[in-house]
């Protein structure tokens, strides 16, 4: 992605200090993370006989830039100001406004505007990079169809996630798992696997198998991420273990707890924006005691087993090994 930002930096300087700062914040937002998507593209490309590593790298970088766009927008939606242990685009521009002496409400609005615009710029950049991949027209057209489909499904999943968080009803476990599939699996797992294989000349049947593999991996990954969002080590994940609880996010963890006798002692505290660290610790203890954590960990293992069976048919066992390692990155969970 360096080429994308280097070219943009030169153009940004001609459009003023704030716009230049926006590109700088976007670049910082793209740094770090687990780089899952580029790895999936490369692994799938090689597994299906691809030999042009530069082509796979370009596709992987473009899909990672798409991820950056979604992450920036997701932080706006969730009103988060930090990611990966540092201020995100929202937080950076909120701070800039505060330093300039803006009123609190205006500073918040400026941060959100910067997040929306940065996400838009990254999204267009990703599509441009994918649309100019150096391959034949037919393959490029099929690649863009895969990307469009993934974005549509992801948008639906994001909206459903927010809808379930309205607090008007409690989500079922099936609904929570569907959100994980639509919000994460489609673009973070199925798309990069299919993109890499497509560029290497995989058949339609093989692409369909990879879509299913990506679905299983993505659900496991998102369920694990939900666990880390409550039980993880912030110094390791760089992710708050209170924001999901304060938001009242309807994950599978919460959906399971809602079916247990412990629910009346849990529900009143979910979605409490003033939840204290002590209150969060109590909630975690209750979620664990009612069996919710164990249940979701079981779901993670179930989807990883299904993924491993599928991966064996296409020679991508190493991909599942990597995701399994990430799923075990919570110090409180057995490897």
């Amino acid at each position: 992605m360096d080429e994308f930002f280097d070219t943009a930096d030169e153009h940004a300087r001609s459009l003023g200090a704030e716009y230049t700062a926006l590109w700088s914040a976007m670049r910082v937002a793209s740094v770090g993370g687990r780089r899952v998507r580029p790895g999936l593209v490369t692994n799938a490309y090689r597994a299906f006989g691809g030999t042009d590593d530069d082509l796979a790298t370009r596709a992987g970088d473009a899909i990672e830039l798409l991820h950056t766009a979604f992450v920036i927008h997701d932080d706006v939606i969730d009103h988060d100001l930090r990611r990966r242990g540092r201020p995100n685009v929202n937080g950076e521009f909120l701070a800039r406004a505060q330093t300039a002496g803006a009123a609190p409400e205006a500073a918040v609005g400026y941060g959100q505007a910067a997040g929306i615009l940065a996400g838009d710029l990254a999204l267009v950049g990703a599509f441009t990079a994918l649309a100019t991949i150096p391959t034949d027209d037919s393959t490029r057209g099929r690649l863009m169809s895969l990307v469009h489909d993934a974005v549509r499904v992801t948008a639906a999943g994001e909206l459903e996630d927010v809808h379930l968080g309205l607090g008007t009803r409690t989500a079922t476990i099936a609904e929570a798992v569907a959100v994980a599939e639509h919000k994460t699996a489609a673009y973070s797992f199925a798309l990069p696997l299919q993109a890499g294989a497509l560029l290497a000349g995989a058949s339609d049947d093989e692409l369909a198998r990879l879509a299913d593999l990506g679905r299983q991996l993505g659900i496991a990954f998102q369920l694990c991420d939900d666990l880390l969002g409550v039980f993880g080590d912030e110094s390791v994940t760089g992710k708050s273990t209170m924001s999901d609880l304060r938001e009242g996010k309807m994950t599978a963890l919460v959906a399971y707890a809602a079916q247990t006798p412990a629910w009346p002692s849990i529900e009143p505290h979910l979605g409490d924006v003033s939840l204290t660290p002590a209150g969060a610790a109590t909630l975690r203890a209750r979620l664990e005691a009612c069996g919710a954590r164990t249940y979701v960990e079981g779901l993670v293992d179930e989807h990883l087993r299904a993924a491993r069976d599928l991966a064996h048919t296409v020679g991508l066992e190493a991909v599942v090994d990597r995701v399994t390692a990430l799923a075990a990155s919570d110090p409180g969970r057995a490897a």
Side-chain angles (χ1 to χ4, degrees), residues 56-106:
T57 297
R58 289 184 62 164
D61 283 350
I63 293 174
E64 189 68 9
L65 185 58
L66 179 67
H67 169 63
T68 297
F70 286 156
V71 161
I72 293 171
H73 280 161
D74 192 57
D75 283 347
V76 175
I77 292 168
D78 291 343
H79 308 291
D80 285 336
L81 300 177
R82 297 182 67 81
R83 182 172 286 269
R84 295 170 184 163
R86 57 181 181 255
N88 56 19
V89 176
N90 257 17
E92 175 71 23
F93 276 77
L94 170 64
R96 289 177 71 86
Q98 290 172 330
T99 300
E105 187 175 341

Side-chain angles (χ1 to χ4, degrees), residues 12 14 38 69 90 107 142 157 160 168 174 186 193 223 227-228 233 237 257 264 267 271 284 318 323 332:
S14 69
N90 257 17
R142 293 173 68 197
E160 185 61 18
T168 55
L193 286 171
L223 291 174
L227 286 168
L228 291 172
D233 181 343
T237 65
E267 182 182 23
R284 288 187 200 101
V323 176

Side-chain angles (χ1 to χ4, degrees), residues 235-253:
S235 67
V236 175
T237 65
K239 176 178 179 177
S240 169
T241 56
M242 292 184 62
S243 62
D244 284 1
L245 297 175
R246 285 174 170 168
E247 184 186 334
K249 184 164 286 194
M250 284 292 167
T251 62
L253 192 70

Side-chain angles (χ1 to χ4, degrees), residues 45-165:
Y45 181 71
R46 291 173 178 169
F48 285 88
T51 57
D52 184 352
D53 283 352
D54 181 62
L55 179 64
T57 297
R58 289 184 62 164
D61 283 350
I63 293 174
E64 189 68 9
L65 185 58
L66 179 67
H67 169 63
T68 297
F70 286 156
V71 161
I72 293 171
H73 280 161
D74 192 57
D75 283 347
V76 175
I77 292 168
D78 291 343
H79 308 291
D80 285 336
L81 300 177
R82 297 182 67 81
R83 182 172 286 269
R84 295 170 184 163
R86 57 181 181 255
N88 56 19
V89 176
N90 257 17
E92 175 71 23
F93 276 77
L94 170 64
R96 289 177 71 86
Q98 290 172 330
T99 300
E105 187 175 341
V108 169
Y110 189 56
Q112 291 175 335
I116 292 169
L117 293 170
D120 289 347
L121 290 166
L123 188 62
V124 171
F127 267 76
T128 299
L130 288 163
T132 54
I133 285 283
T135 187
D136 62 89
D137 289 345
S138 175
T139 300
R140 191 182 302 109
R142 293 173 68 197
L143 175 63
M144 294 310 296
S145 292
L146 289 175
V147 175
H148 279 118
D149 288 345
V151 171
R152 291 187 188 104
V153 172
T154 303
E158 184 71 52
L159 185 61
E160 185 61 18
D161 191 26
V162 176
H163 180 258
L164 291 177

